[in-house]
Amino acid sequence: MNAVSKIWAAVFVAGLVFSNYYLYSTTNSKLESYKSEPPFLRFDFTDSYLVDRSSQAPYLADGNLNTEWRKLRPSSMKMDFDLELRLSHRLKSGVYVPTNWKGLKVIACSKNTPLLSLKILEREAINVDKESRLPNDTEYGSIDLDFSKSETATVLLKKDAGSVLQKEYPSGIWIWAVQGTFQSVGPDSCIADIQLFE
């Protein structure tokens, strides 16, 4: 009986050590990933997923052309969706170095997709450790995208930025964000993906 108890105690301790190591290693890699590419907000103000579960806000910028978002309900706001895309800088060896984002690619589901009014924003990057408030937006530009000739519309970006020391974050760093609005509701008001490219 005493030997069995010792075996179970050893198994319990080994399991505890292994689970703690696993938790530490997976959390540490996620924290390192967060430092260079933090998770971003994606809002669908139409709540179209209530009509069709396959139409969700994360699908607007997930990098997967097999997922789609459709405007299947009227919006509760002035815009249909609000997406934070990527940081203006990448963390390398303790310094945020500007990423040379050349443009924005909006990929519609078909050439039948109606006109999309798109506002491009430079959203203030907030230091979540120190501040708890809504970020300020600066409008970079706005454009109406016509998909009748091509399912892919490209908007060129030009914004100069300097390097920022890690301890100075978020000064001089912003998040590229977009807000989009379709004038009509229906399955043709459909976006496959929105991507920044270098």
Side-chain angles (χ1 to χ4, degrees):
M1 183 82 170
N2 197 12
V4 173
S5 297
K6 288 180 181 179
I7 291 172
W8 279 114
V11 168
F12 176 75
V13 170
L16 193 60
V17 168
F18 175 75
S19 61
N20 280 331
Y21 173 75
Y22 176 78
L23 182 64
Y24 170 78
S25 62
T26 56
T27 303
N28 198 38
S29 65
K30 287 178 183 175
L31 285 173
E32 289 304 314
S33 170
Y34 177 86
K35 286 180 184 176
S36 60
E37 295 297 337
F40 297 115
L41 299 174
R42 295 183 176 150
F43 295 107
D44 172 6
F45 298 113
T46 69
D47 291 329
S48 292
Y49 72 92
L50 295 172
V51 176
D52 183 354
R53 299 292 284 166
S54 67
S55 178
Q56 300 196 23
Y59 295 162
L60 280 160
D62 64 355
N64 183 355
L65 298 181
N66 294 321
T67 58
E68 299 172 342
W69 173 85
R70 291 180 182 82
K71 181 177 179 178
L72 301 174
R73 293 166 37 111
S75 178
S76 61
M77 303 287 279
K78 290 180 181 177
M79 75 285 298
D80 296 335
F81 58 81
D82 183 313
L83 307 176
E84 294 179 351
L85 299 173
R86 301 292 292 270
L87 272 177
S88 58
H89 293 60
R90 285 190 176 122
L91 183 62
K92 293 180 182 174
S93 303
V95 176
Y96 281 95
V97 179
T99 304
N100 186 24
W101 297 117
K102 291 191 172 126
L104 181 70
K105 199 183 298 183
V106 181
I107 304 163
C109 299
S110 74
K111 291 181 182 176
N112 295 329
T113 301
L115 206 67
L116 173 68
S117 297
L118 193 72
K119 189 184 289 186
I120 303 164
L121 306 170
E122 297 168 35
R123 180 159 292 161
E124 176 188 15
I126 289 178
N127 188 336
V128 292
D129 294 333
K130 296 182 180 176
E131 303 178 52
S132 178
R133 61 184 172 80
L134 292 174
N136 294 322
D137 290 340
T138 302
E139 186 172 332
Y140 175 84
S142 58
I143 188 169
D144 289 333
L145 301 177
D146 181 2
F147 300 102
S148 61
K149 294 182 180 154
S150 172
E151 295 164 354
T152 302
T154 302
V155 181
L156 298 179
L157 301 174
K158 177 66 176 151
K159 179 77 177 180
D160 294 325
S163 296
V164 177
L165 294 175
Q166 186 174 2
K167 65 181 180 181
E168 294 176 8
Y169 178 89
S171 177
I173 297 173
W174 66 93
I175 300 168
W176 286 108
V178 293
Q179 294 174 340
T181 309
F182 283 115
Q183 296 307 314
S184 57
V185 176
D188 284 338
S189 298
C190 179
I191 296 293
D193 211 50
I194 300 177
Q195 309 166 348
L196 282 171
F197 64 88
E198 295 182 67

